Amino acid sequence: MNPTDAATLNRPPLRRLRRALLWGALLALLGVAQTLLVALTLNYESTRAQDAVDTVAAEAAAAVRSEIHGLMQALQAMAWTEAQQPAWRDGAGALLRRRQDLKRVEWRDPQLAVVDAVDTPFLPHLFTQMARTDLGVDAELACKSARRSAAPMFSRSYFVPLPGGRGLEIMDLCLPVQQAGRAHGFLVASIALTTLLETALAAPEARRHEFSFVEGDGTRLARAGVPRGAGIYVAERVVDMPGTTLQLRTDSAAGRPSLIPNLTTALVLGLSLALFSVVLLLARDVRRRALAERALAEALAFRKAMEDSLSTGLRARDLQGRISYVNPAFCAMVGYTQEELRAPRTTVPVVPPYWPPESSAEYLRRHALRLQDAGRRTPDARDSREGIETVFMRKNGERFPVMIYEAPLVDGEGRHTGWMSAVLDLSAQRSVEELSRLQQDRLQATARLVTVGEMASLLSHELNQPLAAIASYASGSLNLIDEPDASTPEMLRHALGRIAEQAERAGRVIKSVHDFVRRREQQHENITAAALIEAVLPLARLQAHKSGTRIQVDLPAPPARPPRARCDCTMVEQVLLNLARNGIQAMEAATPPAERVLTLRARQAHPGWVVFSVIDAGPGIAAEVAARLFTPFFTTRAEGMGLGLSLCRTVIEQHGGVLDFGPGPGGRGTEFRFTLPASKVAETGETSGSPIAA
Ligand code: ADP
């Protein structure tokens, strides 16, 4: 898992809070929408129910009006027939049978006395409880009003008790009858309000509503339809009739809109919406996931191509040392396939097949050490960019050097789970280095031979003297032997002694040349600066002698600790001799013989470094010469090769030091300086830390 994934896992609390708030707001909005939906639905249903009741009420009022109108017409038709005539009675009887809401028809004289009366066959004893000879006050008023206006008039309704405690609300219709312009009498019809309602109303509405005539104070006079309205959706209409008014009240049996089905509907609707949104979100998520997967696949393919193209071996290991990943370069390096390397190793401790058996124990020890070390440090601190050199083994048994750069593997929760290593095969680099070292050695040897070649005349001169001395002592000795006397043995001894002395001197010259030219194995050793200078002095003196140059050795005087360097002595001797020779040669041309002094100096300038100086009293180095001084084959001397200084610099740099130059002390001559690592043997002993890697 990469750090980006880890970051996603460890989402900051602020973002989580924001997300939770968003979800909360969304749910609250959904709740509000649901509630509103329910409320609006309920309101809509109520309005619809009220509208329906209003319509039914209007229709019912119209029906009642039409019924009354019909009644009035039927009665007016009866007014043409004279009372007490069979025709009238028949007509009245037929009308009463036809119109059930009509309970009684009377013919009254102008003084309102009953002339004739016919009762409905459906309720013949309506007025048995209440005498009907005298008209009720209401009917009387209606008749008077009818007479005045010469138009039918209705009375206010009144209650007529019936046997058995029941009763009927009756309303009278008074119709004035005139003959030849004079009042002839009245037709009075008694109408039962309940029956009027029942007759007027259509059956379907009557099954769903309660209809009633009510008074202004709400007293119910007559009712029809369902036994009881719910009292929620109520509509009232006024039915105007000549002489009176009736209030028709329509009360629907329908109750309040029920919450549960509406809530259910709203819930279903809300959930459907939510589901739809979720499906949309899911679809978007799936699309984004698909895109992310494609990007991931591309990134993986890219990474794989990159890893496959690497020439550096990559290896991932867990804390137990089991290999979890290797790239093709690593397989090619060690000669094992990925399967062979990644095969589960159940034996603990884990020993990979590319560890040389002779080093396995050591590598295991290092691994355990590193594990301990890793446990003590934080994951960040574990990160080491320092390479570690070690030796691996190929499948064919060949050992080869590798450089390992290792970094800890940290999972998404910051736990250390293993190591990722980049492994470099150093064998090619090593062989190149070896080749270059050999070439360097050869070049050094050649340079030494060249130096000696240049010094050949000096050598022959130096050897000539002892050889000439030997020759003269030898011929003197021969003469002594030819002419012996008493002192002969003594003189012979002296001559032979001188011969031996001179032979030894010649031998020393030969040996110094031999020592210098002899090619030794390159090795670093700890040596005092004095010993280094001492080694080159015979040859330097040889050269100095010719031009009369004096050589001074300047070393720190006791009790100061003598400087010690760690270096390849042969190489450094060559450097010292080269610099000394250059100094002597520089002084040969322009410096007066008395001033020709060459100083060889060594100082411990720093705890880690020893500085050597070769100081001459020559003319110094011109700027144009200085610029090209270290260029190979640059020389100003006819017999020079121009390799000396460039080789000197290479040697010093190989030791980790630097070689430079400047004017000598007091601005006179030239000082060549070079540094060498100081030897630490004296203080710490010969210890070298072993790197911890396998
Ligand atoms: P070579 O000695 O074969 O000429 P070097 O590389 O040793 O080659 O020296 C290169 C040149 O640097 C010399 O030819 C000389 O001109 C100059 N040089 C070296 N050392 C000194 C010195 N101490 N004083 C003046 N010139 C020097």
Side-chain angles (χ1 to χ4, degrees):
M1 187 183 286
N2 61 36
T4 331
D5 298 333
T8 322
L9 272 182
N10 308 331
R11 186 175 286 149
L14 197 72
R15 244 173 88 189
R16 260 183 296 173
L17 183 75
R18 225 174 53 193
R19 197 162 264 258
L21 277 176
L22 241 140
W23 275 109
L26 206 74
L27 285 177
L29 267 174
L30 202 69
V32 169
Q34 292 277 78
T35 315
L36 265 175
L37 191 70
V38 172
L40 284 174
T41 314
L42 288 177
N43 189 35
Y44 172 72
E45 278 193 15
S46 298
T47 316
R48 247 180 43 154
Q50 185 61 49
D51 285 352
V53 170
D54 283 346
T55 313
V56 169
E59 283 169 0
V64 168
R65 266 186 222 109
S66 131
E67 190 67 21
I68 287 171
H69 190 67
L71 256 177
M72 278 165 61
Q73 281 183 336
L75 276 179
Q76 268 169 343
M78 283 196 59
W80 299 111
T81 325
E82 196 58 46
Q84 293 173 319
Q85 296 293 317
W88 186 85
R89 293 192 69 88
D90 289 349
L95 180 66
L96 284 165
R97 275 196 298 280
R98 206 170 62 242
R99 307 290 304 241
Q100 288 192 18
D101 45 353
L102 208 59
K103 295 300 178 198
R104 178 184 169 90
V105 181
E106 293 172 340
W107 181 274
R108 292 199 178 227
D109 62 12
Q111 286 71 45
L112 295 174
V114 177
V115 180
D116 203 351
V118 183
D119 283 302
T120 174
F122 305 111
L123 190 66
H125 311 295
L126 177 64
F127 289 102
T128 45
Q129 301 278 85
M130 201 177 86
R132 186 63 184 171
T133 23
D134 293 326
L135 214 49
V137 185
D138 293 320
E140 204 178 308
L141 281 173
C143 284
K144 281 180 182 160
S145 173
R147 184 164 47 207
R148 270 200 307 279
S149 59
M153 283 294 166
F154 285 90
S155 74
R156 276 168 49 112
S157 68
Y158 55 91
F159 186 73
V160 178
L162 283 178
R166 295 189 308 118
L168 272 180
E169 191 74 14
I170 297 292
M171 183 177 70
D172 288 329
L173 166 62
C174 198
L175 189 86
V177 182
Q178 291 190 334
Q179 267 186 3
R182 284 193 309 112
H184 184 58
F186 298 95
L187 265 177
V188 180
S190 302
I191 304 156
L193 290 186
T194 308
T195 328
L196 172 71
L197 269 179
E198 282 168 353
T199 323
L201 296 174
E205 265 73 41
R207 277 201 294 275
R208 290 199 296 267
H209 299 83
E210 180 194 3
F211 298 94
S212 49
F213 286 121
V214 289
E215 286 191 324
D217 60 359
T219 314
R220 209 178 327 191
L221 302 175
R223 56 163 303 282
V226 290
R228 198 138 199 88
I232 295 160
Y233 304 113
V234 179
E236 292 195 351
R237 290 285 182 279
V238 174
V239 182
D240 277 323
M241 286 169 278
T244 191
T245 338
L246 279 175
Q247 187 89 2
L248 175 65
R249 179 186 162 117
T250 309
D251 186 352
S252 170
R256 282 187 193 289
S258 182
L259 183 67
I260 298 297
N262 280 303
L263 199 66
T264 317
T265 315
L267 269 177
V268 168
L269 213 72
L271 284 178
S272 307
L273 272 176
L275 202 73
F276 184 65
S277 321
V278 167
V279 166
L280 276 183
L281 282 176
L282 214 69
R284 211 182 64 163
D285 200 52
V286 165
R287 214 182 57 232
R288 274 169 47 182
R289 207 167 268 260
L291 283 176
E293 271 172 15
R294 213 174 63 200
L296 190 70
E298 276 171 16
L300 276 177
F302 179 76
R303 202 191 78 175
K304 188 167 172 0
M306 202 169 69
E307 287 166 1
D308 290 355
S309 70
L310 278 180
S311 58
T312 308
L314 292 179
R315 170 193 72 172
R317 292 188 302 166
D318 64 12
L319 290 176
Q320 279 69 46
R322 275 186 291 263
I323 291 177
S324 52
Y325 167 80
V326 281
N327 73 339
F330 187 83
C331 295
M333 202 182 287
V334 295
Y336 289 96
T337 62
Q338 292 199 5
E339 288 67 35
E340 284 170 328
L341 288 170
R342 292 174 60 181
R345 285 166 207 286
T346 41
T347 49
V348 175
V350 180
V351 177
Y354 50 80
W355 281 4
E358 67 277 9
S359 310
S360 293
E362 171 64 11
Y363 289 1
L364 279 173
R365 193 183 60 78
R366 290 179 192 174
H367 185 75
L369 260 176
R370 192 164 28 152
L371 210 56
Q372 259 178 21
D373 203 35
R376 278 201 299 270
R377 285 185 280 173
T378 62
D380 299 339
R382 274 181 229 139
D383 197 343
S384 158
R385 297 274 172 261
E386 264 177 44
I388 294 152
E389 210 180 313
T390 190
V391 174
F392 279 180
M393 183 180 76
R394 298 194 214 278
K395 199 175 184 179
N396 60 13
E398 181 196 336
R399 273 60 167 170
F400 65 105
V402 287
M403 180 64 94
I404 304 179
Y405 296 92
E406 205 145 67
L409 275 176
V410 178
D411 71 5
E413 278 149 29
R415 276 192 310 248
H416 180 206
T417 56
W419 285 276
M420 184 73 187
S421 328
V423 184
L424 290 175
D425 186 345
L426 296 183
S427 23
Q429 188 187 331
R430 278 294 139 80
S431 40
V432 169
E433 278 173 10
E434 182 62 19
L435 197 69
S436 140
R437 199 180 61 77
L438 282 176
Q439 280 175 349
Q440 196 72 29
D441 276 5
R442 263 183 221 133
L443 200 60
Q444 294 282 352
T446 315
R448 276 196 290 273
L449 286 173
V450 168
T451 310
V452 173
E454 281 179 26
M455 293 166 77
S457 64
L458 278 174
L459 282 173
S460 62
H461 171 74
E462 197 66 14
L463 285 175
N464 229 8
Q465 281 182 354
L467 287 176
I470 288 170
S472 66
Y473 280 120
S475 61
S477 301
L478 284 174
N479 289 343
L480 277 175
I481 291 167
D482 288 344
E483 295 162 25
D485 63 11
S487 61
T488 302
E490 185 54 31
M491 288 183 65
L492 265 180
R493 181 183 309 259
H494 174 74
L496 286 175
R498 299 307 295 265
I499 288 173
E501 221 170 73
Q502 291 302 318
E504 201 177 314
R505 182 180 161 198
R508 272 207 306 276
V509 173
I510 299 290
K511 184 170 180 297
S512 68
V513 174
H514 178 258
D515 276 358
F516 179 69
V517 175
R518 186 165 55 105
R519 199 169 156 269
R520 280 175 281 161
E521 274 305 303
Q522 181 179 359
Q523 51 198 358
H524 283 59
E525 51 193 292
N526 298 309
I527 187 165
T528 58
L532 273 172
I533 293 175
E534 202 66 42
V536 294
L537 269 180
L539 285 174
R541 287 220 169 94
L542 203 60
Q543 177 115 27
H545 189 64
K546 189 183 129 198
S547 58
T549 304
R550 281 182 295 123
I551 296 186
Q552 279 182 358
V553 175
D554 178 6
L555 288 164
R561 202 159 50 81
R564 289 173 72 93
R566 182 167 175 76
C567 61
D568 180 344
C569 302
T570 320
M571 296 286 198
V572 176
E573 282 165 16
Q574 163 100 38
V575 172
L576 271 173
L577 187 66
N578 259 332
L579 297 179
R581 194 169 51 95
N582 280 351
I584 293 166
Q585 281 169 354
M587 287 187 287
E588 273 170 3
T591 314
E595 292 170 19
R596 294 178 186 167
V597 180
L598 185 84
T599 310
L600 301 177
R601 179 185 290 167
R603 288 282 185 277
Q604 178 96 40
H606 177 273
W609 299 97
V610 178
V611 184
F612 289 82
S613 306
V614 179
I615 308 161
D616 65 60
I621 297 173
E624 67 274 12
V625 175
R628 304 175 58 202
L629 206 60
F630 294 105
T631 315
F633 303 110
F634 169 75
T635 179
T636 56
R637 295 186 300 115
E639 73 281 15
M641 240 181 84
L643 265 175
L645 285 176
S646 90
L647 275 172
C648 289
R649 182 188 248 185
T650 313
V651 167
I652 296 305
E653 284 176 355
Q654 274 175 353
H655 282 79
V658 285
L659 168 66
D660 68 354
F661 64 93
R668 181 132 191 254
T670 313
E671 176 177 357
F672 274 86
R673 287 173 300 261
F674 65 87
T675 51
L676 285 178
S679 152
K680 293 176 189 153
V681 178
E683 298 105 327
T684 60
E686 199 90 37
T687 50
S688 59
S690 60
I692 313 167

